[in-house]
Structure formats: C-alpha cells, structure tokens
Amino acid sequence: MKIILIGYMGSGKSTVAKELAAALSLPFIDLDDYIVDKEKKSIKDIFEAKGEIYFRLQESKYLKEILEQETDAVLALGGGTPCYANNMELIKKESQSFYLKGGIATICNRLRSEKQQRPLIASLSDEQLTEFIAKHLFERRNFYEQADQSISIDNKSIHELLQELLVKVKKN
Ligand code: S3P
C-alpha cells in the first residue's frame, strides 16, 4: 500500500512525506520531482513552455505510473493533483491518504516568501496572494476533504506532524 500526502501548496507535503518515509523505511516519491525528472524541465518551465493543461495531463499520467508500481512508498503530490482528471478516485482506491490541512493564514505566511518557483502564484502581490489562496482553497477543499484522514498543520512543527502521522498510519 502507498501512503499519500495531499494538500495546498506550502502545506509541507514534501518535507513531511520525506520524514515519514524515513521513519517507516519506505521509499519517498515526490510527484513534482518525478515530473521534472521525466520531462527534463522545471515545473515553472513546463507551465511556461507548454501550459497548464499539458502539465495536468502529464501529472495525471505520472501519478498513474507511480501507483501502478508494486512497491510500497510514501508519496507527496502537487497541490493541484487531487483536483484534476480522476486522480482523487485513484488516490482513494490505491492508497492510504492524508490531507495536510492548513488555514489561510498559515498557507499565506509560508508562500509569501517562496512564490517564485510556483507558476500559479509567482506574479501575485502579497495582497492578491491572500485573496487568491482563500478562493483557491475554497474551490479545492471538496477534493482534499476526500482523503482518508485530515491533519491540521497550523502551529505544528514537522516533528509534531510526523508523530501524529505515525500514530494514524499504524492504526490502519
Ligand atoms: C500546483 C502545486 C505545485 C506544482 C504546480 C501546481 C498547484 O506543487 O505541482 O506548481 O496547482 O497547486 P506543490 O504543492 O508541491 O507546490
């Protein structure tokens, strides 16, 4: 079985998934890194050269490719992955999924300083960013909430999140 972490940009999916994989002695896969590796371009360059629709198609294709692999692993997805194609159905069917759930303030604080590499928010001012995130989270919530379990990330350290996940993973 695979363990999948989903959630909005900046919710710490990759960092936490990497720690979780190490704690469980499982391989760690980051879908964004996997796409970069296969496409030989950064996410930013893929968006710029080929557009978001192309990115979403590739994202879904590579998600399936990873889920078809027999080996257990901890997988961090991109913020948009659960919200396109039939990705969330696949995630529910093929994995134990966790939504790292952050409030608007937490997400904004984290993304303000790291907008540049994220094509969807790179051109927004700080004021626009708050409004964009509020709307976007609202749109995406229905997908994220379909995860098997939700974990609030607000005011928690990576270590605390990891401990919480380890308890929840073992229980299943
Ligand atoms: C996206 C999130 C990014 C990356 C791409 C699109 C999104 O991943 O897949 O820029 O639609 O939310 P992270 O959540 O790892 O930043």
Side-chain angles (χ1 to χ4, degrees), residues 7-14 30-32 35 43-44 47 52 55-56 59 76-81 83-84 111 114 117-121 132 136 140 144:
Y8 202 73
M9 289 178 271
S11 57
K13 302 176 292 285
S14 304
D30 183 276
L31 181 59
D32 278 345
I35 296 170
I43 302 288
K44 190 168 167 253
F47 268 73
E52 182 171 356
F55 174 78
R56 296 301 173 193
E59 180 180 48
L77 302 187
T81 319
C83 317
Y84 293 87
L111 288 179
E114 28 176 291
Q117 290 314 308
R118 292 181 160 97
L120 293 176
I121 54 170
F132 178 87
H136 213 195
R140 289 181 165 185
Y144 294 152

PDB file of all heavy atoms in Angstrom, residues 7-14 30-32 35 43-44 47 52 55-56 59 76-81 83-84 111 114 117-121 132 136 140 144, ligand 1:
ATOM      1  N   GLY A   7      -2.545  18.211  -0.195  1.00  0.00           N
ATOM      2  CA  GLY A   7      -2.783  19.483   0.480  1.00  0.00           C
ATOM      3  C   GLY A   7      -2.321  20.624  -0.402  1.00  0.00           C
ATOM      4  O   GLY A   7      -1.664  20.411  -1.431  1.00  0.00           O
ATOM      5  N   TYR A   8      -2.661  21.835   0.024  1.00  0.00           N
ATOM      6  CA  TYR A   8      -2.350  23.018  -0.772  1.00  0.00           C
ATOM      7  C   TYR A   8      -0.837  23.255  -0.836  1.00  0.00           C
ATOM      8  O   TYR A   8      -0.085  22.713  -0.018  1.00  0.00           O
ATOM      9  CB  TYR A   8      -3.045  24.244  -0.160  1.00  0.00           C
ATOM     10  CG  TYR A   8      -3.230  25.365  -1.154  1.00  0.00           C
ATOM     11  CD1 TYR A   8      -4.175  25.267  -2.171  1.00  0.00           C
ATOM     12  CD2 TYR A   8      -2.446  26.510  -1.091  1.00  0.00           C
ATOM     13  CE1 TYR A   8      -4.331  26.286  -3.096  1.00  0.00           C
ATOM     14  CE2 TYR A   8      -2.601  27.539  -2.012  1.00  0.00           C
ATOM     15  CZ  TYR A   8      -3.544  27.415  -3.018  1.00  0.00           C
ATOM     16  OH  TYR A   8      -3.694  28.429  -3.938  1.00  0.00           O
ATOM     17  N   MET A   9      -0.421  24.060  -1.819  1.00  0.00           N
ATOM     18  CA  MET A   9       0.984  24.470  -1.899  1.00  0.00           C
ATOM     19  C   MET A   9       1.408  25.024  -0.541  1.00  0.00           C
ATOM     20  O   MET A   9       0.635  25.721   0.110  1.00  0.00           O
ATOM     21  CB  MET A   9       1.150  25.612  -2.922  1.00  0.00           C
ATOM     22  CG  MET A   9       0.991  25.205  -4.356  1.00  0.00           C
ATOM     23  SD  MET A   9       1.147  26.650  -5.470  1.00  0.00           S
ATOM     24  CE  MET A   9      -0.541  27.235  -5.547  1.00  0.00           C
ATOM     25  N   GLY A  10       2.611  24.717  -0.138  1.00  0.00           N
ATOM     26  CA  GLY A  10       3.119  25.277   1.116  1.00  0.00           C
ATOM     27  C   GLY A  10       2.657  24.556   2.375  1.00  0.00           C
ATOM     28  O   GLY A  10       2.969  24.988   3.477  1.00  0.00           O
ATOM     29  N   SER A  11       1.934  23.456   2.209  1.00  0.00           N
ATOM     30  CA  SER A  11       1.459  22.774   3.427  1.00  0.00           C
ATOM     31  C   SER A  11       2.495  21.797   3.981  1.00  0.00           C
ATOM     32  O   SER A  11       2.249  21.150   4.996  1.00  0.00           O
ATOM     33  CB  SER A  11       0.116  22.079   3.175  1.00  0.00           C
ATOM     34  OG  SER A  11       0.223  21.170   2.113  1.00  0.00           O
ATOM     35  N   GLY A  12       3.619  21.672   3.309  1.00  0.00           N
ATOM     36  CA  GLY A  12       4.711  20.847   3.842  1.00  0.00           C
ATOM     37  C   GLY A  12       4.666  19.394   3.420  1.00  0.00           C
ATOM     38  O   GLY A  12       5.320  18.539   4.028  1.00  0.00           O
ATOM     39  N   LYS A  13       3.918  19.110   2.365  1.00  0.00           N
ATOM     40  CA  LYS A  13       3.758  17.711   1.912  1.00  0.00           C
ATOM     41  C   LYS A  13       5.099  17.012   1.691  1.00  0.00           C
ATOM     42  O   LYS A  13       5.323  15.905   2.182  1.00  0.00           O
ATOM     43  CB  LYS A  13       2.947  17.647   0.595  1.00  0.00           C
ATOM     44  CG  LYS A  13       1.575  18.260   0.653  1.00  0.00           C
ATOM     45  CD  LYS A  13       0.899  18.229  -0.697  1.00  0.00           C
ATOM     46  CE  LYS A  13       1.518  19.118  -1.752  1.00  0.00           C
ATOM     47  NZ  LYS A  13       1.262  20.550  -1.639  1.00  0.00           N
ATOM     48  N   SER A  14       5.976  17.657   0.922  1.00  0.00           N
ATOM     49  CA  SER A  14       7.247  17.003   0.561  1.00  0.00           C
ATOM     50  C   SER A  14       8.126  16.782   1.789  1.00  0.00           C
ATOM     51  O   SER A  14       8.668  15.687   1.978  1.00  0.00           O
ATOM     52  CB  SER A  14       8.018  17.841  -0.458  1.00  0.00           C
ATOM     53  OG  SER A  14       7.205  18.076  -1.578  1.00  0.00           O
ATOM     54  N   ASP A  30       8.323  12.181  -4.701  1.00  0.00           N
ATOM     55  CA  ASP A  30       7.662  13.480  -4.809  1.00  0.00           C
ATOM     56  C   ASP A  30       7.186  13.617  -6.254  1.00  0.00           C
ATOM     57  O   ASP A  30       8.002  13.569  -7.177  1.00  0.00           O
ATOM     58  CB  ASP A  30       8.666  14.592  -4.467  1.00  0.00           C
ATOM     59  CG  ASP A  30       8.021  15.958  -4.494  1.00  0.00           C
ATOM     60  OD1 ASP A  30       7.915  16.540  -5.591  1.00  0.00           O
ATOM     61  OD2 ASP A  30       7.597  16.431  -3.438  1.00  0.00           O
ATOM     62  N   LEU A  31       5.880  13.748  -6.441  1.00  0.00           N
ATOM     63  CA  LEU A  31       5.352  13.743  -7.812  1.00  0.00           C
ATOM     64  C   LEU A  31       5.922  14.888  -8.656  1.00  0.00           C
ATOM     65  O   LEU A  31       6.258  14.688  -9.824  1.00  0.00           O
ATOM     66  CB  LEU A  31       3.810  13.788  -7.800  1.00  0.00           C
ATOM     67  CG  LEU A  31       3.128  13.754  -9.172  1.00  0.00           C
ATOM     68  CD1 LEU A  31       3.490  12.503  -9.982  1.00  0.00           C
ATOM     69  CD2 LEU A  31       1.607  13.852  -9.038  1.00  0.00           C
ATOM     70  N   ASP A  32       6.055  16.076  -8.068  1.00  0.00           N
ATOM     71  CA  ASP A  32       6.635  17.195  -8.827  1.00  0.00           C
ATOM     72  C   ASP A  32       8.061  16.852  -9.298  1.00  0.00           C
ATOM     73  O   ASP A  32       8.411  17.089 -10.459  1.00  0.00           O
ATOM     74  CB  ASP A  32       6.693  18.472  -7.974  1.00  0.00           C
ATOM     75  CG  ASP A  32       5.360  19.214  -7.950  1.00  0.00           C
ATOM     76  OD1 ASP A  32       4.491  18.920  -8.788  1.00  0.00           O
ATOM     77  OD2 ASP A  32       5.198  20.089  -7.082  1.00  0.00           O
ATOM     78  N   ILE A  35       7.970  14.396 -12.126  1.00  0.00           N
ATOM     79  CA  ILE A  35       7.602  15.036 -13.399  1.00  0.00           C
ATOM     80  C   ILE A  35       8.811  15.787 -13.975  1.00  0.00           C
ATOM     81  O   ILE A  35       9.121  15.675 -15.171  1.00  0.00           O
ATOM     82  CB  ILE A  35       6.412  16.012 -13.192  1.00  0.00           C
ATOM     83  CG1 ILE A  35       5.158  15.245 -12.746  1.00  0.00           C
ATOM     84  CG2 ILE A  35       6.122  16.804 -14.468  1.00  0.00           C
ATOM     85  CD1 ILE A  35       3.988  16.129 -12.285  1.00  0.00           C
ATOM     86  N   ILE A  43       9.077  22.670 -13.169  1.00  0.00           N
ATOM     87  CA  ILE A  43       7.617  22.849 -13.237  1.00  0.00           C
ATOM     88  C   ILE A  43       7.299  24.211 -13.865  1.00  0.00           C
ATOM     89  O   ILE A  43       6.430  24.322 -14.732  1.00  0.00           O
ATOM     90  CB  ILE A  43       6.991  22.763 -11.818  1.00  0.00           C
ATOM     91  CG1 ILE A  43       7.302  21.416 -11.142  1.00  0.00           C
ATOM     92  CG2 ILE A  43       5.489  23.033 -11.857  1.00  0.00           C
ATOM     93  CD1 ILE A  43       6.588  20.209 -11.695  1.00  0.00           C
ATOM     94  N   LYS A  44       8.060  25.220 -13.453  1.00  0.00           N
ATOM     95  CA  LYS A  44       7.878  26.572 -13.979  1.00  0.00           C
ATOM     96  C   LYS A  44       8.061  26.583 -15.502  1.00  0.00           C
ATOM     97  O   LYS A  44       7.257  27.152 -16.239  1.00  0.00           O
ATOM     98  CB  LYS A  44       8.925  27.468 -13.310  1.00  0.00           C
ATOM     99  CG  LYS A  44       8.787  28.919 -13.525  1.00  0.00           C
ATOM    100  CD  LYS A  44       9.726  29.647 -12.555  1.00  0.00           C
ATOM    101  CE  LYS A  44       9.865  31.081 -12.939  1.00  0.00           C
ATOM    102  NZ  LYS A  44      11.165  31.402 -13.534  1.00  0.00           N
ATOM    103  N   PHE A  47       5.093  24.845 -17.320  1.00  0.00           N
ATOM    104  CA  PHE A  47       3.939  25.760 -17.406  1.00  0.00           C
ATOM    105  C   PHE A  47       4.180  26.805 -18.499  1.00  0.00           C
ATOM    106  O   PHE A  47       3.303  27.106 -19.291  1.00  0.00           O
ATOM    107  CB  PHE A  47       3.711  26.473 -16.066  1.00  0.00           C
ATOM    108  CG  PHE A  47       2.737  25.778 -15.142  1.00  0.00           C
ATOM    109  CD1 PHE A  47       3.086  24.606 -14.485  1.00  0.00           C
ATOM    110  CD2 PHE A  47       1.470  26.302 -14.914  1.00  0.00           C
ATOM    111  CE1 PHE A  47       2.194  23.971 -13.607  1.00  0.00           C
ATOM    112  CE2 PHE A  47       0.572  25.684 -14.046  1.00  0.00           C
ATOM    113  CZ  PHE A  47       0.932  24.515 -13.391  1.00  0.00           C
ATOM    114  N   GLU A  52      -0.697  25.029 -18.666  1.00  0.00           N
ATOM    115  CA  GLU A  52      -1.178  24.250 -17.515  1.00  0.00           C
ATOM    116  C   GLU A  52      -1.890  22.962 -17.940  1.00  0.00           C
ATOM    117  O   GLU A  52      -1.773  21.941 -17.263  1.00  0.00           O
ATOM    118  CB  GLU A  52      -2.104  25.100 -16.633  1.00  0.00           C
ATOM    119  CG  GLU A  52      -2.558  24.299 -15.411  1.00  0.00           C
ATOM    120  CD  GLU A  52      -3.306  25.100 -14.356  1.00  0.00           C
ATOM    121  OE1 GLU A  52      -3.430  26.331 -14.501  1.00  0.00           O
ATOM    122  OE2 GLU A  52      -3.766  24.455 -13.386  1.00  0.00           O
ATOM    123  N   PHE A  55       0.538  20.322 -18.437  1.00  0.00           N
ATOM    124  CA  PHE A  55       1.068  19.906 -17.129  1.00  0.00           C
ATOM    125  C   PHE A  55       0.097  18.963 -16.428  1.00  0.00           C
ATOM    126  O   PHE A  55       0.495  17.928 -15.879  1.00  0.00           O
ATOM    127  CB  PHE A  55       1.351  21.134 -16.247  1.00  0.00           C
ATOM    128  CG  PHE A  55       1.753  20.759 -14.837  1.00  0.00           C
ATOM    129  CD1 PHE A  55       3.042  20.320 -14.559  1.00  0.00           C
ATOM    130  CD2 PHE A  55       0.827  20.810 -13.793  1.00  0.00           C
ATOM    131  CE1 PHE A  55       3.411  19.938 -13.267  1.00  0.00           C
ATOM    132  CE2 PHE A  55       1.177  20.436 -12.499  1.00  0.00           C
ATOM    133  CZ  PHE A  55       2.475  20.001 -12.235  1.00  0.00           C
ATOM    134  N   ARG A  56      -1.206  19.310 -16.434  1.00  0.00           N
ATOM    135  CA  ARG A  56      -2.196  18.483 -15.731  1.00  0.00           C
ATOM    136  C   ARG A  56      -2.283  17.089 -16.350  1.00  0.00           C
ATOM    137  O   ARG A  56      -2.491  16.100 -15.645  1.00  0.00           O
ATOM    138  CB  ARG A  56      -3.563  19.154 -15.730  1.00  0.00           C
ATOM    139  CG  ARG A  56      -3.633  20.477 -14.982  1.00  0.00           C
ATOM    140  CD  ARG A  56      -3.238  20.343 -13.533  1.00  0.00           C
ATOM    141  NE  ARG A  56      -3.142  21.648 -12.850  1.00  0.00           N
ATOM    142  CZ  ARG A  56      -2.579  21.810 -11.665  1.00  0.00           C
ATOM    143  NH1 ARG A  56      -2.031  20.800 -11.031  1.00  0.00           N
ATOM    144  NH2 ARG A  56      -2.534  22.995 -11.124  1.00  0.00           N
ATOM    145  N   GLU A  59       0.822  15.240 -15.276  1.00  0.00           N
ATOM    146  CA  GLU A  59       0.722  14.986 -13.831  1.00  0.00           C
ATOM    147  C   GLU A  59      -0.133  13.741 -13.573  1.00  0.00           C
ATOM    148  O   GLU A  59       0.230  12.851 -12.795  1.00  0.00           O
ATOM    149  CB  GLU A  59       0.086  16.227 -13.186  1.00  0.00           C
ATOM    150  CG  GLU A  59      -0.115  16.159 -11.693  1.00  0.00           C
ATOM    151  CD  GLU A  59      -0.762  17.454 -11.153  1.00  0.00           C
ATOM    152  OE1 GLU A  59      -1.778  17.935 -11.717  1.00  0.00           O
ATOM    153  OE2 GLU A  59      -0.255  17.973 -10.149  1.00  0.00           O
ATOM    154  N   ALA A  76       4.395  12.292  -2.004  1.00  0.00           N
ATOM    155  CA  ALA A  76       3.890  13.664  -1.847  1.00  0.00           C
ATOM    156  C   ALA A  76       3.397  14.137  -3.206  1.00  0.00           C
ATOM    157  O   ALA A  76       4.135  14.067  -4.193  1.00  0.00           O
ATOM    158  CB  ALA A  76       5.006  14.585  -1.355  1.00  0.00           C
ATOM    159  N   LEU A  77       2.138  14.583  -3.274  1.00  0.00           N
ATOM    160  CA  LEU A  77       1.607  15.045  -4.566  1.00  0.00           C
ATOM    161  C   LEU A  77       1.748  16.553  -4.697  1.00  0.00           C
ATOM    162  O   LEU A  77       2.086  17.243  -3.736  1.00  0.00           O
ATOM    163  CB  LEU A  77       0.131  14.659  -4.681  1.00  0.00           C
ATOM    164  CG  LEU A  77      -0.187  13.169  -4.570  1.00  0.00           C
ATOM    165  CD1 LEU A  77      -1.656  12.924  -4.872  1.00  0.00           C
ATOM    166  CD2 LEU A  77       0.684  12.345  -5.518  1.00  0.00           C
ATOM    167  N   GLY A  78       1.464  17.080  -5.878  1.00  0.00           N
ATOM    168  CA  GLY A  78       1.397  18.532  -6.074  1.00  0.00           C
ATOM    169  C   GLY A  78       0.072  19.026  -5.492  1.00  0.00           C
ATOM    170  O   GLY A  78      -0.872  18.245  -5.344  1.00  0.00           O
ATOM    171  N   GLY A  79       0.023  20.321  -5.199  1.00  0.00           N
ATOM    172  CA  GLY A  79      -1.186  20.876  -4.589  1.00  0.00           C
ATOM    173  C   GLY A  79      -2.442  20.672  -5.428  1.00  0.00           C
ATOM    174  O   GLY A  79      -3.547  20.542  -4.901  1.00  0.00           O
ATOM    175  N   GLY A  80      -2.276  20.644  -6.749  1.00  0.00           N
ATOM    176  CA  GLY A  80      -3.458  20.526  -7.616  1.00  0.00           C
ATOM    177  C   GLY A  80      -3.804  19.096  -8.010  1.00  0.00           C
ATOM    178  O   GLY A  80      -4.895  18.841  -8.542  1.00  0.00           O
ATOM    179  N   THR A  81      -2.900  18.171  -7.749  1.00  0.00           N
ATOM    180  CA  THR A  81      -3.079  16.800  -8.257  1.00  0.00           C
ATOM    181  C   THR A  81      -4.464  16.185  -7.946  1.00  0.00           C
ATOM    182  O   THR A  81      -5.094  15.637  -8.844  1.00  0.00           O
ATOM    183  CB  THR A  81      -1.968  15.847  -7.742  1.00  0.00           C
ATOM    184  OG1 THR A  81      -0.723  16.506  -7.766  1.00  0.00           O
ATOM    185  CG2 THR A  81      -1.912  14.571  -8.560  1.00  0.00           C
ATOM    186  N   CYS A  83      -7.237  17.442  -7.704  1.00  0.00           N
ATOM    187  CA  CYS A  83      -8.366  18.221  -8.216  1.00  0.00           C
ATOM    188  C   CYS A  83      -8.575  18.080  -9.726  1.00  0.00           C
ATOM    189  O   CYS A  83      -9.431  18.765 -10.297  1.00  0.00           O
ATOM    190  CB  CYS A  83      -8.172  19.697  -7.867  1.00  0.00           C
ATOM    191  SG  CYS A  83      -7.588  19.962  -6.186  1.00  0.00           S
ATOM    192  N   TYR A  84      -7.803  17.238 -10.385  1.00  0.00           N
ATOM    193  CA  TYR A  84      -7.923  17.097 -11.839  1.00  0.00           C
ATOM    194  C   TYR A  84      -8.106  15.638 -12.231  1.00  0.00           C
ATOM    195  O   TYR A  84      -7.740  14.728 -11.486  1.00  0.00           O
ATOM    196  CB  TYR A  84      -6.683  17.674 -12.536  1.00  0.00           C
ATOM    197  CG  TYR A  84      -6.597  19.164 -12.364  1.00  0.00           C
ATOM    198  CD1 TYR A  84      -5.976  19.709 -11.253  1.00  0.00           C
ATOM    199  CD2 TYR A  84      -7.211  20.034 -13.271  1.00  0.00           C
ATOM    200  CE1 TYR A  84      -5.942  21.085 -11.043  1.00  0.00           C
ATOM    201  CE2 TYR A  84      -7.184  21.401 -13.086  1.00  0.00           C
ATOM    202  CZ  TYR A  84      -6.540  21.925 -11.968  1.00  0.00           C
ATOM    203  OH  TYR A  84      -6.525  23.281 -11.777  1.00  0.00           O
ATOM    204  N   LEU A 111       3.811  30.848   1.921  1.00  0.00           N
ATOM    205  CA  LEU A 111       4.009  31.024   0.474  1.00  0.00           C
ATOM    206  C   LEU A 111       4.545  32.401   0.097  1.00  0.00           C
ATOM    207  O   LEU A 111       5.130  32.562  -0.970  1.00  0.00           O
ATOM    208  CB  LEU A 111       2.708  30.751  -0.280  1.00  0.00           C
ATOM    209  CG  LEU A 111       2.279  29.276  -0.331  1.00  0.00           C
ATOM    210  CD1 LEU A 111       0.963  29.135  -1.085  1.00  0.00           C
ATOM    211  CD2 LEU A 111       3.355  28.410  -1.006  1.00  0.00           C
ATOM    212  N   GLU A 114       8.044  32.219  -0.814  1.00  0.00           N
ATOM    213  CA  GLU A 114       8.507  31.240  -1.814  1.00  0.00           C
ATOM    214  C   GLU A 114       7.573  31.137  -3.018  1.00  0.00           C
ATOM    215  O   GLU A 114       7.246  30.059  -3.480  1.00  0.00           O
ATOM    216  CB  GLU A 114       8.724  29.868  -1.164  1.00  0.00           C
ATOM    217  CG  GLU A 114       7.869  29.594   0.036  1.00  0.00           C
ATOM    218  CD  GLU A 114       8.042  28.203   0.585  1.00  0.00           C
ATOM    219  OE1 GLU A 114       7.619  27.262  -0.094  1.00  0.00           O
ATOM    220  OE2 GLU A 114       8.610  28.060   1.683  1.00  0.00           O
ATOM    221  N   GLN A 117       9.023  30.032  -7.502  1.00  0.00           N
ATOM    222  CA  GLN A 117       9.084  28.757  -8.228  1.00  0.00           C
ATOM    223  C   GLN A 117       7.707  28.157  -8.500  1.00  0.00           C
ATOM    224  O   GLN A 117       7.580  27.099  -9.075  1.00  0.00           O
ATOM    225  CB  GLN A 117       9.940  27.745  -7.445  1.00  0.00           C
ATOM    226  CG  GLN A 117      11.415  28.081  -7.437  1.00  0.00           C
ATOM    227  CD  GLN A 117      11.950  28.456  -8.821  1.00  0.00           C
ATOM    228  OE1 GLN A 117      11.761  27.732  -9.796  1.00  0.00           O
ATOM    229  NE2 GLN A 117      12.588  29.609  -8.916  1.00  0.00           N
ATOM    230  N   ARG A 118       6.660  28.852  -8.037  1.00  0.00           N
ATOM    231  CA  ARG A 118       5.317  28.304  -8.192  1.00  0.00           C
ATOM    232  C   ARG A 118       4.532  29.123  -9.215  1.00  0.00           C
ATOM    233  O   ARG A 118       4.074  30.231  -8.921  1.00  0.00           O
ATOM    234  CB  ARG A 118       4.622  28.275  -6.837  1.00  0.00           C
ATOM    235  CG  ARG A 118       5.266  27.266  -5.886  1.00  0.00           C
ATOM    236  CD  ARG A 118       4.535  27.257  -4.580  1.00  0.00           C
ATOM    237  NE  ARG A 118       4.762  26.049  -3.825  1.00  0.00           N
ATOM    238  CZ  ARG A 118       5.654  25.936  -2.850  1.00  0.00           C
ATOM    239  NH1 ARG A 118       6.427  26.935  -2.553  1.00  0.00           N
ATOM    240  NH2 ARG A 118       5.771  24.805  -2.200  1.00  0.00           N
ATOM    241  N   PRO A 119       4.390  28.581 -10.426  1.00  0.00           N
ATOM    242  CA  PRO A 119       3.826  29.357 -11.527  1.00  0.00           C
ATOM    243  C   PRO A 119       2.437  29.932 -11.269  1.00  0.00           C
ATOM    244  O   PRO A 119       2.111  31.003 -11.774  1.00  0.00           O
ATOM    245  CB  PRO A 119       3.776  28.352 -12.696  1.00  0.00           C
ATOM    246  CG  PRO A 119       4.102  27.018 -12.139  1.00  0.00           C
ATOM    247  CD  PRO A 119       4.782  27.218 -10.838  1.00  0.00           C
ATOM    248  N   LEU A 120       1.625  29.270 -10.455  1.00  0.00           N
ATOM    249  CA  LEU A 120       0.258  29.756 -10.255  1.00  0.00           C
ATOM    250  C   LEU A 120       0.205  31.040  -9.418  1.00  0.00           C
ATOM    251  O   LEU A 120      -0.753  31.795  -9.501  1.00  0.00           O
ATOM    252  CB  LEU A 120      -0.605  28.683  -9.572  1.00  0.00           C
ATOM    253  CG  LEU A 120      -0.889  27.426 -10.392  1.00  0.00           C
ATOM    254  CD1 LEU A 120      -1.654  26.414  -9.554  1.00  0.00           C
ATOM    255  CD2 LEU A 120      -1.705  27.763 -11.635  1.00  0.00           C
ATOM    256  N   ILE A 121       1.250  31.286  -8.625  1.00  0.00           N
ATOM    257  CA  ILE A 121       1.206  32.450  -7.725  1.00  0.00           C
ATOM    258  C   ILE A 121       2.377  33.412  -7.909  1.00  0.00           C
ATOM    259  O   ILE A 121       2.430  34.449  -7.273  1.00  0.00           O
ATOM    260  CB  ILE A 121       1.156  31.999  -6.240  1.00  0.00           C
ATOM    261  CG1 ILE A 121       2.328  31.032  -5.912  1.00  0.00           C
ATOM    262  CG2 ILE A 121      -0.172  31.326  -5.904  1.00  0.00           C
ATOM    263  CD1 ILE A 121       2.474  30.744  -4.429  1.00  0.00           C
ATOM    264  N   PHE A 132      -6.281  35.177  -3.517  1.00  0.00           N
ATOM    265  CA  PHE A 132      -6.166  34.022  -4.416  1.00  0.00           C
ATOM    266  C   PHE A 132      -6.224  32.720  -3.611  1.00  0.00           C
ATOM    267  O   PHE A 132      -6.956  31.788  -3.940  1.00  0.00           O
ATOM    268  CB  PHE A 132      -4.840  34.108  -5.187  1.00  0.00           C
ATOM    269  CG  PHE A 132      -4.603  32.944  -6.116  1.00  0.00           C
ATOM    270  CD1 PHE A 132      -5.096  32.949  -7.419  1.00  0.00           C
ATOM    271  CD2 PHE A 132      -3.893  31.826  -5.679  1.00  0.00           C
ATOM    272  CE1 PHE A 132      -4.887  31.866  -8.265  1.00  0.00           C
ATOM    273  CE2 PHE A 132      -3.680  30.742  -6.525  1.00  0.00           C
ATOM    274  CZ  PHE A 132      -4.179  30.772  -7.822  1.00  0.00           C
ATOM    275  N   HIS A 136      -9.001  29.842  -3.848  1.00  0.00           N
ATOM    276  CA  HIS A 136      -8.489  28.582  -4.396  1.00  0.00           C
ATOM    277  C   HIS A 136      -8.688  27.431  -3.406  1.00  0.00           C
ATOM    278  O   HIS A 136      -9.083  26.333  -3.777  1.00  0.00           O
ATOM    279  CB  HIS A 136      -6.994  28.781  -4.688  1.00  0.00           C
ATOM    280  CG  HIS A 136      -6.498  28.025  -5.859  1.00  0.00           C
ATOM    281  ND1 HIS A 136      -5.170  27.832  -6.093  1.00  0.00           N
ATOM    282  CD2 HIS A 136      -7.148  27.389  -6.860  1.00  0.00           C
ATOM    283  CE1 HIS A 136      -5.021  27.130  -7.194  1.00  0.00           C
ATOM    284  NE2 HIS A 136      -6.200  26.835  -7.678  1.00  0.00           N
ATOM    285  N   ARG A 140     -10.852  23.995  -3.862  1.00  0.00           N
ATOM    286  CA  ARG A 140     -10.179  22.690  -3.811  1.00  0.00           C
ATOM    287  C   ARG A 140     -10.562  21.828  -2.612  1.00  0.00           C
ATOM    288  O   ARG A 140     -10.278  20.635  -2.594  1.00  0.00           O
ATOM    289  CB  ARG A 140      -8.665  22.908  -3.819  1.00  0.00           C
ATOM    290  CG  ARG A 140      -8.164  23.396  -5.165  1.00  0.00           C
ATOM    291  CD  ARG A 140      -6.679  23.571  -5.148  1.00  0.00           C
ATOM    292  NE  ARG A 140      -6.143  23.682  -6.507  1.00  0.00           N
ATOM    293  CZ  ARG A 140      -4.861  23.750  -6.783  1.00  0.00           C
ATOM    294  NH1 ARG A 140      -3.987  23.720  -5.806  1.00  0.00           N
ATOM    295  NH2 ARG A 140      -4.448  23.830  -8.032  1.00  0.00           N
ATOM    296  N   TYR A 144      -9.754  17.808  -1.450  1.00  0.00           N
ATOM    297  CA  TYR A 144      -8.833  17.477  -0.356  1.00  0.00           C
ATOM    298  C   TYR A 144      -9.545  16.707   0.769  1.00  0.00           C
ATOM    299  O   TYR A 144      -8.978  15.784   1.358  1.00  0.00           O
ATOM    300  CB  TYR A 144      -8.236  18.749   0.246  1.00  0.00           C
ATOM    301  CG  TYR A 144      -7.318  19.547  -0.662  1.00  0.00           C
ATOM    302  CD1 TYR A 144      -7.180  20.925  -0.504  1.00  0.00           C
ATOM    303  CD2 TYR A 144      -6.563  18.934  -1.655  1.00  0.00           C
ATOM    304  CE1 TYR A 144      -6.317  21.672  -1.302  1.00  0.00           C
ATOM    305  CE2 TYR A 144      -5.703  19.674  -2.460  1.00  0.00           C
ATOM    306  CZ  TYR A 144      -5.584  21.044  -2.274  1.00  0.00           C
ATOM    307  OH  TYR A 144      -4.740  21.777  -3.058  1.00  0.00           O
TER     308      TYR A 144
HETATM  309  C1  S3P B   1       0.433  23.255  -8.009  1.00  0.00           C
HETATM  310  C2  S3P B   1       1.276  22.926  -6.970  1.00  0.00           C
HETATM  311  C3  S3P B   1       2.710  22.635  -7.149  1.00  0.00           C
HETATM  312  C4  S3P B   1       3.007  22.156  -8.581  1.00  0.00           C
HETATM  313  C5  S3P B   1       2.429  23.108  -9.577  1.00  0.00           C
HETATM  314  C6  S3P B   1       0.912  23.303  -9.425  1.00  0.00           C
HETATM  315  C7  S3P B   1      -0.996  23.526  -7.715  1.00  0.00           C
HETATM  316  O1  S3P B   1       3.118  21.653  -6.211  1.00  0.00           O
HETATM  317  O2  S3P B   1       2.500  20.869  -8.786  1.00  0.00           O
HETATM  318  O3  S3P B   1       3.091  24.330  -9.434  1.00  0.00           O
HETATM  319  O4  S3P B   1      -1.825  23.507  -8.652  1.00  0.00           O
HETATM  320  O5  S3P B   1      -1.337  23.751  -6.528  1.00  0.00           O
HETATM  321  P1  S3P B   1       3.369  21.951  -4.629  1.00  0.00           P
HETATM  322  O6  S3P B   1       2.055  21.837  -3.925  1.00  0.00           O
HETATM  323  O7  S3P B   1       4.318  20.875  -4.216  1.00  0.00           O
HETATM  324  O8  S3P B   1       3.955  23.324  -4.532  1.00  0.00           O
END
